Amino acid sequence: VGGTVNVSTGLINSKQSFDINRDFTPVILIAGQPMILTAHPSTGASCVAELIALAKSKPGGLSYGSTGVGATPHLLTELFQQRTGIKMVHVPYQGSPQAVTDLLAGRIDLMFSPAAAVLPHIEAGKLKALAVSSAKRSRAAPSLPTLAEAGIDLDASLWFAIWAPSGTPSAVIDKLSRTANETINGAEAQAMFAKQGFDALGGAPGEFARVQAAEIAKWKSAVEAAGLRK
């Protein structure tokens, strides 16, 4: 299940029918996919520092796309603006294909996009990749620096996970986790993740619980900054 969406949706919609902390128990992180900070070549920015300098030189003069208001690329860019002191114009789309099409055409200047959606265009020289959003460099784009390497204290990825209903016996949780880890670490799963631009994760339920708590804190700040709480 898409963990990033589950976390952010609950923070945005106070009337959501379920609470991720109350109603579910973490089992295992499956995989993560970084987003790539990608710019149209017309911006002239060849690295994150140049992009920040450009944005500061003309506040509100750059536009960024997202896959919708409250979607992960939108919230990530809100955090990026917070941590760099810049302000850009948000242009939301109904999905990644439309946003990438307008980025390729230069109708928007930049966006954080899932790696799989922009890597072919980056490799073709039609878009400029500046950094990956993950804490570590991605296997999908190992030459790209992380935001942290660019001097920005920020990491965020799209991640997927398995939960169980609250109250599930710990013995069952542990068995599910062991079985899932075996699958995730298998050659077939590893090859599938690599082909689709994902980094395999896995790990123990307790590790997942700590990641979930950190994710909630991080995206809460973004939701508040964007004024999205309903």
Side-chain angles (χ1 to χ4, degrees), residues 112-174:
F112 278 99
S113 175
V118 291
L119 275 176
H121 306 299
I122 293 166
E123 291 167 355
K126 296 178 180 179
L127 295 174
K128 179 65 178 178
L130 305 181
V132 292
S133 65
S134 48
K136 298 178 181 179
R137 291 198 179 198
S138 171
R139 290 194 306 176
S143 64
L144 285 180
T146 65
L147 291 174
E149 287 178 299
I152 302 166
D153 182 20
L154 175 60
D155 70 86
S157 294
L158 299 171
W159 53 274
F160 298 84
I162 296 174
W163 287 264
S166 288
T168 299
S170 59
V172 174
I173 297 293
D174 290 341

Tab-separated table of all heavy atoms in Angstrom, residues 112-174:
chain	number	residue	atom	x	y	z
A	112	PHE	N	9.387	18.098	-8.715
A	112	PHE	CA	9.845	16.849	-8.147
A	112	PHE	C	8.972	15.763	-8.743
A	112	PHE	O	7.749	15.824	-8.639
A	112	PHE	CB	9.689	16.851	-6.621
A	112	PHE	CG	10.798	17.548	-5.881
A	112	PHE	CD1	10.632	18.847	-5.441
A	112	PHE	CD2	11.994	16.896	-5.623
A	112	PHE	CE1	11.650	19.497	-4.742
A	112	PHE	CE2	13.015	17.534	-4.930
A	112	PHE	CZ	12.844	18.838	-4.485
A	113	SER	N	9.588	14.787	-9.373
A	113	SER	CA	8.828	13.746	-10.040
A	113	SER	C	9.367	12.373	-9.673
A	113	SER	O	10.573	12.212	-9.462
A	113	SER	CB	8.916	13.933	-11.559
A	113	SER	OG	8.290	12.867	-12.241
A	114	PRO	N	8.475	11.375	-9.600
A	114	PRO	CA	8.983	10.002	-9.434
A	114	PRO	C	10.014	9.689	-10.508
A	114	PRO	O	9.853	10.075	-11.671
A	114	PRO	CB	7.724	9.140	-9.598
A	114	PRO	CG	6.601	10.043	-9.190
A	114	PRO	CD	7.007	11.410	-9.654
A	115	ALA	N	11.063	9.000	-10.112
A	115	ALA	CA	12.180	8.750	-11.021
A	115	ALA	C	11.738	8.128	-12.340
A	115	ALA	O	12.191	8.530	-13.421
A	115	ALA	CB	13.205	7.851	-10.331
A	116	ALA	N	10.840	7.147	-12.270
A	116	ALA	CA	10.442	6.419	-13.476
A	116	ALA	C	9.790	7.325	-14.515
A	116	ALA	O	9.874	7.051	-15.713
A	116	ALA	CB	9.483	5.289	-13.103
A	117	ALA	N	9.161	8.412	-14.085
A	117	ALA	CA	8.433	9.279	-15.019
A	117	ALA	C	9.346	10.206	-15.814
A	117	ALA	O	8.965	10.662	-16.899
A	117	ALA	CB	7.400	10.105	-14.254
A	118	VAL	N	10.531	10.498	-15.282
A	118	VAL	CA	11.389	11.488	-15.951
A	118	VAL	C	12.741	10.967	-16.415
A	118	VAL	O	13.403	11.605	-17.235
A	118	VAL	CB	11.618	12.727	-15.036
A	118	VAL	CG1	10.329	13.514	-14.871
A	118	VAL	CG2	12.174	12.303	-13.677
A	119	LEU	N	13.163	9.817	-15.935
A	119	LEU	CA	14.492	9.322	-16.301
A	119	LEU	C	14.697	9.186	-17.814
A	119	LEU	O	15.760	9.576	-18.321
A	119	LEU	CB	14.774	7.990	-15.604
A	119	LEU	CG	15.333	8.086	-14.185
A	119	LEU	CD1	15.469	6.702	-13.564
A	119	LEU	CD2	16.679	8.811	-14.166
A	120	PRO	N	13.722	8.672	-18.573
A	120	PRO	CA	13.942	8.585	-20.025
A	120	PRO	C	14.192	9.946	-20.670
A	120	PRO	O	15.013	10.073	-21.587
A	120	PRO	CB	12.641	7.957	-20.543
A	120	PRO	CG	12.091	7.214	-19.378
A	120	PRO	CD	12.443	8.043	-18.185
A	121	HIS	N	13.502	10.984	-20.184
A	121	HIS	CA	13.667	12.330	-20.746
A	121	HIS	C	14.988	12.964	-20.303
A	121	HIS	O	15.598	13.734	-21.046
A	121	HIS	CB	12.489	13.211	-20.330
A	121	HIS	CG	11.154	12.625	-20.661
A	121	HIS	ND1	10.775	12.350	-21.956
A	121	HIS	CD2	10.116	12.232	-19.864
A	121	HIS	CE1	9.548	11.835	-21.954
A	121	HIS	NE2	9.142	11.747	-20.703
A	122	ILE	N	15.426	12.615	-19.106
A	122	ILE	CA	16.723	13.091	-18.624
A	122	ILE	C	17.845	12.459	-19.446
A	122	ILE	O	18.778	13.138	-19.890
A	122	ILE	CB	16.893	12.765	-17.123
A	122	ILE	CG1	15.899	13.589	-16.292
A	122	ILE	CG2	18.323	13.018	-16.662
A	122	ILE	CD1	15.750	13.115	-14.865
A	123	GLU	N	17.725	11.171	-19.677
A	123	GLU	CA	18.747	10.455	-20.445
A	123	GLU	C	18.787	10.935	-21.893
A	123	GLU	O	19.847	10.914	-22.536
A	123	GLU	CB	18.461	8.955	-20.383
A	123	GLU	CG	18.692	8.369	-18.988
A	123	GLU	CD	18.121	6.979	-18.822
A	123	GLU	OE1	17.455	6.483	-19.771
A	123	GLU	OE2	18.324	6.379	-17.745
A	124	ALA	N	17.637	11.413	-22.400
A	124	ALA	CA	17.583	11.926	-23.773
A	124	ALA	C	18.049	13.373	-23.867
A	124	ALA	O	18.127	13.934	-24.967
A	124	ALA	CB	16.165	11.800	-24.311
A	125	GLY	N	18.353	13.992	-22.722
A	125	GLY	CA	18.825	15.372	-22.708
A	125	GLY	C	17.733	16.414	-22.810
A	125	GLY	O	18.012	17.603	-22.993
A	126	LYS	N	16.482	15.988	-22.658
A	126	LYS	CA	15.366	16.927	-22.781
A	126	LYS	C	15.051	17.635	-21.460
A	126	LYS	O	14.412	18.686	-21.454
A	126	LYS	CB	14.116	16.193	-23.278
A	126	LYS	CG	14.269	15.620	-24.681
A	126	LYS	CD	13.019	14.858	-25.101
A	126	LYS	CE	13.176	14.280	-26.501
A	126	LYS	NZ	11.968	13.512	-26.921
A	127	LEU	N	15.478	17.048	-20.354
A	127	LEU	CA	15.286	17.635	-19.037
A	127	LEU	C	16.596	17.576	-18.271
A	127	LEU	O	17.453	16.719	-18.538
A	127	LEU	CB	14.194	16.892	-18.257
A	127	LEU	CG	12.773	16.957	-18.810
A	127	LEU	CD1	11.843	16.058	-18.005
A	127	LEU	CD2	12.244	18.390	-18.828
A	128	LYS	N	16.743	18.463	-17.292
A	128	LYS	CA	17.950	18.526	-16.479
A	128	LYS	C	17.651	18.019	-15.069
A	128	LYS	O	16.804	18.575	-14.368
A	128	LYS	CB	18.474	19.961	-16.408
A	128	LYS	CG	19.724	20.132	-15.570
A	128	LYS	CD	20.916	19.399	-16.169
A	128	LYS	CE	22.169	19.609	-15.339
A	128	LYS	NZ	23.322	18.859	-15.878
A	129	ALA	N	18.319	16.960	-14.672
A	129	ALA	CA	18.157	16.424	-13.324
A	129	ALA	C	19.135	17.110	-12.385
A	129	ALA	O	20.329	17.225	-12.695
A	129	ALA	CB	18.395	14.918	-13.327
A	130	LEU	N	18.648	17.563	-11.232
A	130	LEU	CA	19.491	18.299	-10.291
A	130	LEU	C	19.839	17.501	-9.038
A	130	LEU	O	20.938	17.642	-8.506
A	130	LEU	CB	18.798	19.607	-9.896
A	130	LEU	CG	18.375	20.525	-11.052
A	130	LEU	CD1	17.733	21.788	-10.502
A	130	LEU	CD2	19.571	20.873	-11.934
A	131	ALA	N	18.894	16.704	-8.542
A	131	ALA	CA	19.138	15.946	-7.309
A	131	ALA	C	18.044	14.924	-7.108
A	131	ALA	O	16.969	15.017	-7.702
A	131	ALA	CB	19.200	16.881	-6.102
A	132	VAL	N	18.335	13.937	-6.261
A	132	VAL	CA	17.304	12.995	-5.831
A	132	VAL	C	16.877	13.361	-4.417
A	132	VAL	O	17.654	13.923	-3.640
A	132	VAL	CB	17.788	11.531	-5.877
A	132	VAL	CG1	18.000	11.080	-7.304
A	132	VAL	CG2	19.058	11.336	-5.055
A	133	SER	N	15.626	13.024	-4.092
A	133	SER	CA	15.062	13.444	-2.811
A	133	SER	C	15.341	12.472	-1.677
A	133	SER	O	15.040	12.766	-0.524
A	133	SER	CB	13.544	13.612	-2.957
A	133	SER	OG	12.936	12.352	-3.234
A	134	SER	N	15.884	11.299	-1.987
A	134	SER	CA	16.100	10.276	-0.968
A	134	SER	C	17.319	10.579	-0.107
A	134	SER	O	18.180	11.387	-0.474
A	134	SER	CB	16.259	8.902	-1.634
A	134	SER	OG	17.171	8.973	-2.714
A	135	ALA	N	17.389	9.896	1.037
A	135	ALA	CA	18.509	10.116	1.956
A	135	ALA	C	19.825	9.622	1.367
A	135	ALA	O	20.885	10.181	1.636
A	135	ALA	CB	18.230	9.415	3.281
A	136	LYS	N	19.744	8.555	0.566
A	136	LYS	CA	20.922	8.008	-0.091
A	136	LYS	C	20.745	8.100	-1.602
A	136	LYS	O	19.633	8.196	-2.106
A	136	LYS	CB	21.127	6.546	0.312
A	136	LYS	CG	21.365	6.334	1.801
A	136	LYS	CD	21.519	4.852	2.117
A	136	LYS	CE	21.744	4.620	3.611
A	136	LYS	NZ	21.859	3.168	3.915
A	137	ARG	N	21.841	8.053	-2.327
A	137	ARG	CA	21.747	8.041	-3.778
A	137	ARG	C	20.956	6.820	-4.241
A	137	ARG	O	21.016	5.757	-3.629
A	137	ARG	CB	23.137	8.044	-4.411
A	137	ARG	CG	23.872	9.349	-4.197
A	137	ARG	CD	25.029	9.507	-5.159
A	137	ARG	NE	25.715	10.778	-4.963
A	137	ARG	CZ	26.521	11.332	-5.851
A	137	ARG	NH1	26.747	10.727	-7.011
A	137	ARG	NH2	27.107	12.484	-5.600
A	138	SER	N	20.230	7.007	-5.312
A	138	SER	CA	19.357	5.949	-5.803
A	138	SER	C	20.066	5.066	-6.812
A	138	SER	O	20.849	5.544	-7.638
A	138	SER	CB	18.113	6.564	-6.449
A	138	SER	OG	17.353	5.586	-7.112
A	139	ARG	N	19.740	3.780	-6.777
A	139	ARG	CA	20.285	2.862	-7.785
A	139	ARG	C	19.790	3.233	-9.179
A	139	ARG	O	20.445	2.946	-10.174
A	139	ARG	CB	19.858	1.429	-7.467
A	139	ARG	CG	20.521	0.847	-6.242
A	139	ARG	CD	20.331	-0.654	-6.183
A	139	ARG	NE	18.922	-1.040	-6.272
A	139	ARG	CZ	18.500	-2.295	-6.311
A	139	ARG	NH1	19.370	-3.289	-6.282
A	139	ARG	NH2	17.219	-2.572	-6.374
A	140	ALA	N	18.618	3.891	-9.248
A	140	ALA	CA	18.064	4.262	-10.550
A	140	ALA	C	18.838	5.413	-11.195
A	140	ALA	O	18.834	5.563	-12.412
A	140	ALA	CB	16.591	4.651	-10.396
A	141	ALA	N	19.483	6.235	-10.363
A	141	ALA	CA	20.236	7.385	-10.881
A	141	ALA	C	21.431	7.645	-9.961
A	141	ALA	O	21.484	8.664	-9.264
A	141	ALA	CB	19.335	8.616	-10.951
A	142	PRO	N	22.401	6.748	-9.950
A	142	PRO	CA	23.496	6.817	-8.974
A	142	PRO	C	24.402	8.031	-9.120
A	142	PRO	O	25.106	8.394	-8.173
A	142	PRO	CB	24.274	5.517	-9.229
A	142	PRO	CG	23.925	5.127	-10.625
A	142	PRO	CD	22.508	5.562	-10.815
A	143	SER	N	24.390	8.687	-10.282
A	143	SER	CA	25.265	9.847	-10.469
A	143	SER	C	24.666	11.126	-9.885
A	143	SER	O	25.377	12.128	-9.741
A	143	SER	CB	25.539	10.060	-11.958
A	143	SER	OG	24.340	10.382	-12.654
A	144	LEU	N	23.390	11.092	-9.538
A	144	LEU	CA	22.743	12.308	-9.027
A	144	LEU	C	22.982	12.470	-7.532
A	144	LEU	O	22.818	11.515	-6.767
A	144	LEU	CB	21.235	12.262	-9.281
A	144	LEU	CG	20.763	12.508	-10.703
A	144	LEU	CD1	19.241	12.419	-10.775
A	144	LEU	CD2	21.227	13.870	-11.198
A	145	PRO	N	23.345	13.676	-7.093
A	145	PRO	CA	23.518	13.908	-5.657
A	145	PRO	C	22.173	13.935	-4.944
A	145	PRO	O	21.119	14.148	-5.560
A	145	PRO	CB	24.182	15.291	-5.606
A	145	PRO	CG	23.670	15.974	-6.838
A	145	PRO	CD	23.580	14.897	-7.888
A	146	THR	N	22.206	13.700	-3.660
A	146	THR	CA	21.002	13.857	-2.849
A	146	THR	C	20.835	15.329	-2.482
A	146	THR	O	21.774	16.129	-2.622
A	146	THR	CB	21.103	13.039	-1.556
A	146	THR	OG1	22.168	13.575	-0.755
A	146	THR	CG2	21.379	11.571	-1.853
A	147	LEU	N	19.669	15.690	-1.992
A	147	LEU	CA	19.460	17.055	-1.513
A	147	LEU	C	20.413	17.357	-0.358
A	147	LEU	O	20.923	18.477	-0.231
A	147	LEU	CB	18.004	17.249	-1.081
A	147	LEU	CG	16.968	17.251	-2.202
A	147	LEU	CD1	15.552	17.302	-1.612
A	147	LEU	CD2	17.176	18.439	-3.151
A	148	ALA	N	20.651	16.345	0.482
A	148	ALA	CA	21.576	16.547	1.606
A	148	ALA	C	22.973	16.872	1.108
A	148	ALA	O	23.663	17.732	1.667
A	148	ALA	CB	21.594	15.304	2.491
A	149	GLU	N	23.397	16.207	0.055
A	149	GLU	CA	24.712	16.492	-0.523
A	149	GLU	C	24.763	17.908	-1.099
A	149	GLU	O	25.840	18.511	-1.197
A	149	GLU	CB	25.037	15.474	-1.617
A	149	GLU	CG	25.376	14.098	-1.085
A	149	GLU	CD	25.634	13.103	-2.191
A	149	GLU	OE1	24.720	12.839	-3.005
A	149	GLU	OE2	26.757	12.579	-2.254
A	150	ALA	N	23.599	18.425	-1.462
A	150	ALA	CA	23.516	19.792	-1.974
A	150	ALA	C	23.370	20.809	-0.845
A	150	ALA	O	23.200	22.009	-1.101
A	150	ALA	CB	22.339	19.921	-2.948
A	151	GLY	N	23.428	20.322	0.410
A	151	GLY	CA	23.390	21.220	1.554
A	151	GLY	C	22.015	21.491	2.112
A	151	GLY	O	21.840	22.414	2.912
A	152	ILE	N	21.012	20.690	1.721
A	152	ILE	CA	19.637	20.902	2.188
A	152	ILE	C	19.226	19.733	3.072
A	152	ILE	O	19.281	18.574	2.653
A	152	ILE	CB	18.672	21.033	0.999
A	152	ILE	CG1	19.104	22.195	0.110
A	152	ILE	CG2	17.242	21.251	1.477
A	152	ILE	CD1	18.433	22.196	-1.239
A	153	ASP	N	18.818	20.032	4.286
A	153	ASP	CA	18.424	19.003	5.248
A	153	ASP	C	17.009	18.531	4.929
A	153	ASP	O	16.036	18.944	5.554
A	153	ASP	CB	18.503	19.561	6.670
A	153	ASP	CG	18.142	18.517	7.717
A	153	ASP	OD1	18.205	17.309	7.398
A	153	ASP	OD2	17.773	18.910	8.840
A	154	LEU	N	16.904	17.671	3.935
A	154	LEU	CA	15.596	17.202	3.493
A	154	LEU	C	15.754	15.892	2.744
A	154	LEU	O	16.599	15.777	1.859
A	154	LEU	CB	14.944	18.253	2.574
A	154	LEU	CG	13.611	17.897	1.915
A	154	LEU	CD1	12.550	17.600	2.966
A	154	LEU	CD2	13.152	19.038	1.005
A	155	ASP	N	14.962	14.904	3.125
A	155	ASP	CA	14.893	13.675	2.348
A	155	ASP	C	13.459	13.159	2.376
A	155	ASP	O	12.771	13.238	3.393
A	155	ASP	CB	15.857	12.609	2.885
A	155	ASP	CG	15.437	12.041	4.224
A	155	ASP	OD1	14.635	11.079	4.227
A	155	ASP	OD2	15.903	12.542	5.263
A	156	ALA	N	13.004	12.691	1.255
A	156	ALA	CA	11.640	12.188	1.135
A	156	ALA	C	11.550	11.294	-0.092
A	156	ALA	O	12.101	11.617	-1.137
A	156	ALA	CB	10.645	13.343	1.001
A	157	SER	N	10.863	10.189	0.057
A	157	SER	CA	10.660	9.276	-1.056
A	157	SER	C	9.219	8.793	-1.041
A	157	SER	O	8.535	8.845	-0.015
A	157	SER	CB	11.587	8.057	-0.950
A	157	SER	OG	12.933	8.425	-1.093
A	158	LEU	N	8.761	8.333	-2.184
A	158	LEU	CA	7.520	7.581	-2.233
A	158	LEU	C	7.826	6.203	-1.668
A	158	LEU	O	8.813	5.580	-2.068
A	158	LEU	CB	7.030	7.448	-3.675
A	158	LEU	CG	6.710	8.765	-4.404
A	158	LEU	CD1	6.461	8.485	-5.874
A	158	LEU	CD2	5.510	9.449	-3.781
A	159	TRP	N	7.040	5.738	-0.716
A	159	TRP	CA	7.325	4.432	-0.138
A	159	TRP	C	6.054	3.605	-0.010
A	159	TRP	O	4.951	4.133	0.072
A	159	TRP	CB	8.036	4.556	1.211
A	159	TRP	CG	7.374	5.427	2.228
A	159	TRP	CD1	7.518	6.776	2.357
A	159	TRP	CD2	6.473	5.025	3.275
A	159	TRP	NE1	6.765	7.248	3.419
A	159	TRP	CE2	6.116	6.188	3.994
A	159	TRP	CE3	5.946	3.800	3.679
A	159	TRP	CZ2	5.251	6.156	5.088
A	159	TRP	CZ3	5.072	3.764	4.764
A	159	TRP	CH2	4.747	4.934	5.460
A	160	PHE	N	6.270	2.311	-0.012
A	160	PHE	CA	5.163	1.360	0.026
A	160	PHE	C	5.418	0.365	1.146
A	160	PHE	O	6.568	0.023	1.439
A	160	PHE	CB	5.029	0.650	-1.324
A	160	PHE	CG	4.729	1.605	-2.449
A	160	PHE	CD1	5.754	2.287	-3.089
A	160	PHE	CD2	3.422	1.855	-2.833
A	160	PHE	CE1	5.493	3.179	-4.106
A	160	PHE	CE2	3.151	2.759	-3.856
A	160	PHE	CZ	4.177	3.424	-4.492
A	161	ALA	N	4.335	-0.078	1.774
A	161	ALA	CA	4.494	-0.886	2.980
A	161	ALA	C	3.293	-1.796	3.182
A	161	ALA	O	2.285	-1.702	2.478
A	161	ALA	CB	4.662	0.036	4.194
A	162	ILE	N	3.430	-2.649	4.172
A	162	ILE	CA	2.339	-3.537	4.581
A	162	ILE	C	2.005	-3.240	6.035
A	162	ILE	O	2.894	-3.163	6.888
A	162	ILE	CB	2.741	-5.018	4.443
A	162	ILE	CG1	3.011	-5.371	2.975
A	162	ILE	CG2	1.642	-5.939	5.002
A	162	ILE	CD1	3.559	-6.775	2.775
A	163	TRP	N	0.704	-3.073	6.289
A	163	TRP	CA	0.190	-2.936	7.649
A	163	TRP	C	-0.741	-4.105	7.949
A	163	TRP	O	-1.259	-4.751	7.036
A	163	TRP	CB	-0.617	-1.650	7.826
A	163	TRP	CG	0.130	-0.372	7.862
A	163	TRP	CD1	0.542	0.320	8.967
A	163	TRP	CD2	0.499	0.440	6.740
A	163	TRP	NE1	1.164	1.489	8.601
A	163	TRP	CE2	1.149	1.595	7.237
A	163	TRP	CE3	0.357	0.311	5.364
A	163	TRP	CZ2	1.649	2.585	6.416
A	163	TRP	CZ3	0.856	1.297	4.528
A	163	TRP	CH2	1.489	2.418	5.059
A	164	ALA	N	-1.006	-4.320	9.230
A	164	ALA	CA	-2.032	-5.267	9.669
A	164	ALA	C	-3.011	-4.505	10.563
A	164	ALA	O	-2.670	-3.438	11.097
A	164	ALA	CB	-1.396	-6.422	10.434
A	165	PRO	N	-4.220	-5.006	10.729
A	165	PRO	CA	-5.162	-4.332	11.627
A	165	PRO	C	-4.616	-4.259	13.046
A	165	PRO	O	-3.901	-5.165	13.499
A	165	PRO	CB	-6.401	-5.238	11.571
A	165	PRO	CG	-6.291	-5.965	10.277
A	165	PRO	CD	-4.812	-6.177	10.072
A	166	SER	N	-4.929	-3.180	13.732
A	166	SER	CA	-4.511	-3.058	15.131
A	166	SER	C	-5.048	-4.245	15.926
A	166	SER	O	-6.163	-4.718	15.692
A	166	SER	CB	-5.048	-1.761	15.735
A	166	SER	OG	-4.366	-0.663	15.208
A	167	GLY	N	-4.261	-4.705	16.868
A	167	GLY	CA	-4.669	-5.850	17.666
A	167	GLY	C	-4.212	-7.182	17.110
A	167	GLY	O	-4.406	-8.223	17.742
A	168	THR	N	-3.605	-7.169	15.923
A	168	THR	CA	-3.062	-8.411	15.367
A	168	THR	C	-1.962	-8.929	16.303
A	168	THR	O	-1.085	-8.175	16.691
A	168	THR	CB	-2.479	-8.170	13.965
A	168	THR	OG1	-3.509	-7.699	13.095
A	168	THR	CG2	-1.910	-9.469	13.400
A	169	PRO	N	-2.017	-10.206	16.686
A	169	PRO	CA	-0.996	-10.735	17.619
A	169	PRO	C	0.423	-10.524	17.099
A	169	PRO	O	0.682	-10.616	15.895
A	169	PRO	CB	-1.334	-12.229	17.684
A	169	PRO	CG	-2.790	-12.301	17.350
A	169	PRO	CD	-3.021	-11.217	16.337
A	170	SER	N	1.339	-10.239	17.998
A	170	SER	CA	2.718	-9.956	17.606
A	170	SER	C	3.359	-11.134	16.886
A	170	SER	O	4.205	-10.951	16.003
A	170	SER	CB	3.549	-9.576	18.839
A	170	SER	OG	3.539	-10.622	19.796
A	171	ALA	N	2.976	-12.353	17.250
A	171	ALA	CA	3.532	-13.525	16.581
A	171	ALA	C	3.152	-13.542	15.102
A	171	ALA	O	3.951	-13.938	14.243
A	171	ALA	CB	3.040	-14.804	17.256
A	172	VAL	N	1.937	-13.096	14.802
A	172	VAL	CA	1.481	-13.033	13.416
A	172	VAL	C	2.232	-11.927	12.671
A	172	VAL	O	2.661	-12.111	11.533
A	172	VAL	CB	-0.045	-12.793	13.354
A	172	VAL	CG1	-0.504	-12.589	11.904
A	172	VAL	CG2	-0.792	-13.955	13.984
A	173	ILE	N	2.397	-10.782	13.330
A	173	ILE	CA	3.146	-9.669	12.736
A	173	ILE	C	4.563	-10.118	12.394
A	173	ILE	O	5.077	-9.858	11.299
A	173	ILE	CB	3.191	-8.459	13.693
A	173	ILE	CG1	1.789	-7.906	13.950
A	173	ILE	CG2	4.115	-7.370	13.137
A	173	ILE	CD1	1.140	-7.274	12.764
A	174	ASP	N	5.210	-10.808	13.334
A	174	ASP	CA	6.586	-11.253	13.109
A	174	ASP	C	6.670	-12.249	11.958
A	174	ASP	O	7.605	-12.205	11.150
A	174	ASP	CB	7.149	-11.882	14.387
A	174	ASP	CG	7.390	-10.851	15.477
A	174	ASP	OD1	7.478	-9.655	15.148
A	174	ASP	OD2	7.476	-11.238	16.654
